[in-house]
Amino acid sequence: MKISTRGHYGVMAMLDLALHHGEGPIPLKSVAERQNLSEHYLEQLIAVLRKAGLVKSVRGAQGGYTLAREPHEIKIGEIIRVLEGPIAPVECVNEEDPECCLRADYCVTRNLWEKVKASIEEVLDNTTLEDLVREAEKARQAGGYMYYI
Amino acid sequence: MKISTRGHYGVMAMLDLALHHGEGPIPLKSVAERQNLSEHYLEQLIAVLRKAGLVKSVRGAQGGYTLAREPHEIKIGEIIRVLEGPIAPVECVNEEDPECCLRADYCVTRNLWEKVKASIEEVLDNTTLEDLVREAEKARQAGGYMYYI
DNA sequence: TTAAATTCCTACTAAATAAGTCAGAATTAG
DNA sequence: CTAATTCTGACTTATTTAGTAGGAATTTAA
């Protein structure tokens, strides 16, 4: 019952961009340094996020990445789906492949996995980058340090 | 964001035992046949469930497995934890290893993973085998076929 | 007492996934 | 022109997943 580092790091990187939203393109190197992630690995992840239309890139010197939409318009669920695939605790509740569970109508445990899926989506689709930015600002005012993992 | 076949098959097998609760020891072979799972693979899983005290075994001819407690006393969350390890979408919210996230107090995204974890546990710890048995009986009365995946 | 049914145990394996690393081409600001 | 970047694709290494294989130990029942 885990997400991989792809989704985990992806959210970290997107939050980093959100925290610098409006400051022009942010080079990936600086994101990687702040978040303590491998730059090369992040490159792979951000390429996926770019192709999915979640970030925009500016090439060349002084280039970097920016969010493609406002932070309040980007749900964490989107980021996770782009990097991890559909949120489905077991294959048979993956609605992108409805044929995978032929006995869906009669299956008892499937209902359970549907509930789990719905409860995860409830959280991830009702949290946006802006929500996290606000929390980070609250934490900064209160504590001083600010990390995001 | 998946559980593996271990947890998936484990719940199927436990539900099968719950549906035959009170009928004496159920041989694993019959469980494997009804659920269409590899018997050898199930053996591995049930060994873990036995060591965790969720099922009891009776060796020899006419032997098999029974639930170690009443169906209403066995939460699905327990089965999953035994077979999959702690329910934690990322390592840093795994309370069995609290040291793994040293910056927990300041971490913004960690709160999010805590929420996800809580919402999954909410479902899995409030569903027992008896709940699934009841659903299966309802489905049988309504439809005729009864499968559980 | 023997055969059949069953759990129990250890080891092995093939494929997929995860988590990167590496090398270098293309682009652009200054 | 040069340094800072993104972009691309191939490669690698370790771990996990999902089993398989073979047989020993135990028990019932004929």
Side-chain angles (χ1 to χ4, degrees), chain B residues 24-145:
Chain B
I26 308 296
L28 207 54
K29 193 180 176 187
S30 71
V31 176
E33 274 167 9
R34 278 189 297 266
Q35 305 300 329
N36 196 32
L37 302 174
S38 150
E39 183 186 349
H40 271 301
Y41 190 38
L42 252 196
E43 257 172 31
Q44 285 183 27
L45 306 184
I46 204 107
V48 178
L49 294 168
R50 180 174 54 81
K51 283 166 196 160
L54 289 177
V55 300
K56 281 189 229 165
S57 65
V58 178
R59 300 187 70 169
Q62 319 310 315
Y65 294 90
T66 56
L67 297 181
R69 289 179 254 149
E70 295 302 304
H72 77 269
E73 294 173 311
I74 300 178
K75 299 171 183 176
I76 307 301
E78 284 187 83
I79 303 171
I80 296 293
R81 283 189 193 88
V82 162
L83 290 170
E84 301 261 336
I87 294 166
V90 299
E91 270 314 311
C92 55
V93 296
N94 175 358
E95 66 237 343
E96 299 194 3
D97 181 10
E99 291 307 309
C100 78
C101 186
L102 297 173
R103 29 187 179 169
D105 289 344
Y106 312 109
C107 181
V108 171
T109 58
R110 188 178 192 275
N111 290 339
L112 178 66
W113 307 126
E114 291 276 14
K115 278 190 213 167
V116 172
K117 174 188 164 84
S119 79
I120 297 171
E121 288 182 325
E122 155 81 15
V123 175
L124 295 182
D125 288 335
N126 285 297
T127 307
T128 67
L129 285 175
E130 190 172 311
D131 297 325
L132 298 187
V133 167
R134 265 201 290 265
E135 271 198 60
E137 270 158 12
K138 228 188 296 172
R140 185 161 46 117
Q141 282 168 19
Y145 289 112

Side-chain angles (χ1 to χ4, degrees), chain A residues 1-3 7-8 11-12 15 35-36 76 80 84 86-92 101 103 106-113 115-116 119-120 123-124 127 132-133 135-136 139 143 145-149, chain B residues 1-3 7-8 11-12 15 35-36 76 80 84 86-92 101 103 106-113 115-116 119-120 123-124 127 132-133 135-136 139 143 145-149:
Chain A
M1 214 56 170
K2 299 260 183 295
I3 65 165
H8 191 176
V11 172
M12 289 166 73
L15 175 54
Q35 305 300 329
N36 196 32
I76 307 301
I80 296 293
E84 301 261 337
I87 294 166
V90 299
E91 269 314 311
C92 55
C101 185
R103 26 188 180 169
Y106 311 110
C107 180
V108 171
T109 58
R110 188 179 192 274
N111 290 340
L112 179 67
W113 307 126
K115 279 190 212 167
V116 172
S119 79
I120 297 170
V123 175
L124 295 181
T127 307
L132 298 187
V133 167
E135 270 197 63
Y145 290 112
M146 186 173 54
Y147 296 105
Y148 10 88
I149 297 188
Chain B
M1 215 54 171
K2 300 260 182 297
I3 66 167
H8 192 176
V11 172
M12 289 166 71
L15 175 55
Q35 305 300 329
N36 196 32
I76 307 301
I80 296 293
E84 301 261 336
I87 294 166
V90 299
E91 270 314 311
C92 55
C101 186
R103 29 187 179 169
Y106 312 109
C107 181
V108 171
T109 58
R110 188 178 192 275
N111 290 339
L112 178 66
W113 307 126
K115 278 190 213 167
V116 172
S119 79
I120 297 171
V123 175
L124 295 182
T127 307
L132 298 187
V133 167
E135 271 198 60
Y145 289 112
M146 187 172 52
Y147 296 106
Y148 11 88
I149 297 186

